[in-house]
Amino acid sequence: MELNILVVGQTGQMGRVLEQTIQKSPHHLVAGIGHPKDITKEDVNIYSDFNDIPQPQDIDVIIDFSTPHLLEPLLNFATKHKIPVVIATTGIENTKLIEKASQAIPIVYAGNYSLGVNVLEKVAEVVAKALKDFDIEITETHHNLKVDAPSGTAHMLFDAVNRGRDHTLTQHQGRHGLDAKRTKQEVGMHALRGGTVVGTHTVSFFGTDEVIELTHTAYSKQIFAQGSLKAAEFIVHQQPGLYDVNDVLEGE
């Protein structure tokens, strides 16, 4: 099935990668939403406002790699025109907007669209449950242009280990000062930024005289673009509701 796709955040780094990925697929990039200062005269189908999109009825699915401030207008546009959405933007705090919109349209929402990361999430939950006396810390490393910290994937991994510990854990954002001793139920969340690192996430389990570390490293943004495209192919066949990458993988 060929899809007509609207990319939100098309002028950003991930948007450009997704654009190239779509061009190599059977699908069609029919329109994009981008930042006004980044739209060039060659970008004939990129708009800065959803209201400027000429034929929304031709759009089969929306893939969002933008910023949280575009979430509300995006969902308003999608629900108005009954278009399924894949949300790949991180740093979103008001997830209630997504939950409300999912009552009217099908939405895939995940902190990371990499197959490997989603397997890591499952493994981390199992290990957290099995090693209840081990301390847990999460470290994530990204390029120096990433704006949100900790990453959406780090939060996703915290949720996984927290499920494994019956929701008894709390996040602790970094550590500093002279009285920074960890408590038993806290999970330290540590963000490193530098260079061109695409993304590395490590969940560390510290026991007495032994350590287990689970690490995923992304070497290109291509894996996120491919994953979001797979999610788009999945969501266009679903009823209204909120889905995640595990639903996409199980639906293959």
Side-chain angles (χ1 to χ4, degrees), residues 29-250:
L29 176 55
V30 296
I33 293 290
H35 196 287
K37 70 178 180 65
D38 296 324
I39 299 175
T40 69
K41 61 181 180 180
E42 288 80 20
D43 294 324
V44 293
N45 295 322
I46 301 182
Y47 309 91
S48 59
D49 191 309
F50 288 95
N51 294 321
D52 294 336
I53 296 174
Q55 294 178 298
Q57 71 275 9
D58 292 341
I59 299 169
D60 296 314
V61 64
I62 300 170
I63 302 179
D64 173 35
F65 274 106
S66 61
T67 56
H69 81 276
L70 285 178
L71 179 65
E72 188 168 4
L74 160 63
L75 293 177
N76 288 341
F77 176 84
T79 53
K80 177 181 179 180
H81 298 286
K82 301 299 181 184
I83 305 173
V85 180
V86 175
I87 299 176
T89 294
T90 60
I92 293 173
E93 295 182 353
N94 191 2
T95 57
K96 290 184 178 180
L97 289 174
I98 299 174
E99 294 167 4
K100 181 179 179 181
S102 70
Q103 297 172 14
I105 56 173
I107 297 175
V108 181
Y109 174 49
N112 192 303
Y113 281 82
S114 155
L115 170 62
V117 162
N118 284 275
V119 172
L120 172 62
E121 178 188 18
K122 292 182 178 181
V123 174
E125 180 177 349
V126 171
V127 175
K129 185 175 182 178
L131 303 177
K132 290 190 179 295
D133 291 332
F134 280 50
D135 298 325
I136 304 173
E137 299 277 298
I138 296 173
T139 302
E140 54 97 345
T141 305
H142 284 87
H143 54 87
N144 56 22
L145 297 178
K146 186 170 177 61
V147 295
D148 59 309
S151 66
T153 303
H155 287 295
M156 185 174 80
L157 292 171
F158 170 81
D159 290 341
V161 296
N162 198 23
R163 288 193 300 271
R165 295 285 177 87
D166 300 320
H167 300 280
T168 59
L169 301 177
T170 58
Q171 289 191 32
H172 187 92
Q173 307 297 333
R175 255 181 221 98
H176 62 88
L178 299 177
D179 187 19
K181 182 180 179 181
R182 80 182 325 274
T183 64
K184 186 62 180 175
Q185 300 305 110
E186 77 178 34
V187 175
M189 306 283 284
H190 310 283
L192 284 69
R193 296 288 178 267
T196 59
V197 179
V198 174
T200 297
H201 294 84
T202 298
V203 185
S204 300
F205 298 87
F206 298 96
T208 302
D209 298 329
E210 58 181 333
V211 176
I212 294 177
E213 291 188 323
L214 306 175
T215 297
H216 176 273
T217 299
Y219 290 101
S220 85
K221 293 181 172 67
Q222 190 68 35
I223 60 173
F224 310 125
Q226 292 283 7
S228 68
L229 201 55
K230 191 179 297 291
E233 295 168 346
F234 163 84
I235 202 63
V236 294
H237 299 293
Q238 307 309 314
Q239 296 298 314
L242 189 55
Y243 303 84
D244 61 21
V245 176
N246 289 321
D247 296 314
V248 176
L249 297 176
E250 292 169 3

